[in-house]
Amino acid sequence: MSGHNFTELMDQAQEEQERSNRAALERIQSKAAPETHPDFDGKHCVECPTIIPIARRNLGKVRCVHCQTALEKRTTRR
Ligand SMILES: [Zn+2]
């Protein structure tokens, strides 16, 4: 019977899928994890006087889009 092998194959594929899903999820979560900053007052960007939009603050961001982009450019450069 090939049915059994097929099931095993599906299990393996699913396991593989779950492993990579988890890895991707962990990557996303570490990137999306709420940030904290000693200078963050809950409203303003920690690097400039820009008020961070509430939607962005809800994501746990402590920087405005501009400073976040600049930071990512700094940290991703090799
Ligand atoms: Zn800023």
Side-chain angles (χ1 to χ4, degrees), residues 37-65:
H37 194 287
D39 293 338
F40 188 49
D41 63 2
K43 194 171 181 183
H44 297 87
C45 172
V46 296
E47 293 190 31
C48 75
T50 303
I51 293 175
I52 303 173
I54 187 86
R56 200 169 160 70
R57 294 207 302 268
N58 285 343
L59 294 174
K61 301 299 181 188
V62 299
R63 288 175 187 82
C64 68
V65 177

Side-chain angles (χ1 to χ4, degrees), residues 3-17:
H4 180 69
N5 287 337
F6 181 70
T7 305
E8 250 176 35
L9 211 65
M10 286 302 284
D11 280 352
Q12 275 172 20
Q14 202 172 352
E15 241 173 65
E16 199 59 46
Q17 184 74 46

